[in-house]
Amino acid sequence: MRRASPHATAGEEEYLQSLFWLHEAGLPLTAANLGRAMRLSAPTVSEMVGRLERDGYITRDGDRTIHFTDSGRADAERIVSRHRLIERFLTDVVGVPWDDVHEEAERLEHAMTPRFEAYVRASVGDADTCPHGHPIALGERVQGVPLADCAVGARVTVLRLENEAEDLLHYLMAQGIQPGLRAVVAARDEELVTVAPEAGGEPATLTVSVAETVSVTAEPSPPPRTALPEQLVLGHSRYGR
Ligand SMILES: [Zn+2]
């Protein structure tokens, strides 16, 4: 496959990252899932998927399932790992709050030389995930279950915030939900999930839609899966009815 240009554009890199996340999570690589993960409309996604195909990163088969080309996958892996590394650098070394690092990392990663990347890598020591819980060394992902699947009374440890959309991260930070948090599921109904931190302090209440995007280990545990909600509902109360 001949590459039209030697480097992915910033837009292509965003899509390659999201495609790689679908792959990591074991979800089907389709334009529909990409749209749901990135919260973009079907026409927007379809145009970029066409461009990624033209530029040799992906192929599509008869039922429109997306596959990485060998070089496309290698590029995606490099982009994803570097993005997570920079996020960790920004939180741990620079002091940027973890709900703000994703966008900053997007900009920085395009300006980074391999030499600077080596310094960044050294500066974060043995950190093995990004601040949202995604592995920097790919292939070391613990599967986990959505918080939304856990029964009342289950003891959970937050593994990962699956979706790094900025408004979602602000919402999770405001609720006190972050990787490593240990809590007990205190209540669960059709719309809301409440967890009580084991260390004490305020219980956190999330919409079920957001709780689908928070991966945890749980005891007792529901069957493993990664959820991809149709739409994210951040508000506690629904409006307009
Ligand atoms: Zn991250």
Side-chain angles (χ1 to χ4, degrees):
M1 189 69 61
R2 177 61 50 128
R3 184 67 46 82
S5 67
H7 296 292
T9 63
E12 283 177 328
E13 291 202 352
E14 274 278 290
Y15 278 73
L16 289 172
Q17 287 192 44
S18 294
L19 270 175
F20 191 83
W21 174 78
L22 289 174
H23 162 76
E24 264 184 324
L27 294 163
L29 274 64
T30 60
N33 279 348
L34 202 47
R36 288 161 73 190
M38 300 182 77
R39 301 165 73 198
L40 295 172
S41 70
T44 306
V45 171
S46 155
E47 197 211 315
M48 181 59 96
V49 167
R51 199 183 308 169
L52 289 173
E53 187 170 29
R54 229 169 26 243
D55 286 351
Y57 295 105
I58 60 166
T59 58
R60 279 180 289 180
D61 57 23
D63 66 358
R64 313 307 275 167
T65 302
I66 297 168
H67 303 275
F68 282 114
T69 60
D70 287 347
S71 64
R73 179 191 299 238
D75 286 333
E77 287 177 350
R78 184 177 44 77
I79 291 161
V80 164
S81 178
R82 189 183 55 181
H83 178 84
R84 293 172 182 174
L85 172 70
I86 297 172
E87 284 188 339
R88 177 56 76 180
F89 167 75
L90 288 173
T91 52
D92 290 18
V93 181
V94 186
V96 180
W98 61 256
D99 58 335
D100 278 336
V101 293
H102 184 78
E103 308 290 317
E104 296 300 335
E106 286 298 322
R107 291 186 196 101
L108 261 180
E109 62 199 22
H110 301 291
M112 206 160 73
T113 61
R115 189 170 70 156
F116 183 62
E117 185 175 333
Y119 285 118
V120 169
R121 199 168 289 279
S123 76
V124 300
D126 56 5
D128 52 11
T129 66
C130 84
H132 315 109
H134 299 263
I136 292 170
L138 306 178
E140 293 179 8
R141 186 181 198 272
V142 179
Q143 166 76 42
V145 296
L147 175 57
D149 288 2
C150 297
V152 171
R155 299 161 69 93
V156 301
T157 301
V158 176
L159 268 179
R160 201 163 43 240
L161 311 177
E162 298 291 357
N163 192 310
E164 302 192 9
E166 206 172 1
D167 53 349
L168 179 58
L169 294 183
H170 293 326
Y171 173 89
L172 289 165
M173 164 136 357
Q175 295 297 320
I177 300 288
Q178 60 180 316
L181 175 77
R182 297 159 74 90
V184 174
V185 179
R188 164 78 160 89
D189 65 19
E190 295 284 290
E191 295 190 4
L192 300 172
V193 179
T194 300
V195 296
E198 272 188 9
E202 285 291 297
T205 297
L206 304 177
T207 62
V208 167
S209 150
V210 168
E212 295 248 315
T213 72
V214 176
S215 286
V216 300
T217 53
E219 188 52 53
S221 182
R225 75 176 180 112
T226 303
L228 189 55
E230 200 66 55
Q231 80 186 123
L232 283 171
V233 181
L234 301 188
H236 280 201
S237 51
R238 307 248 166 99
Y239 298 98
R241 59 170 191 180

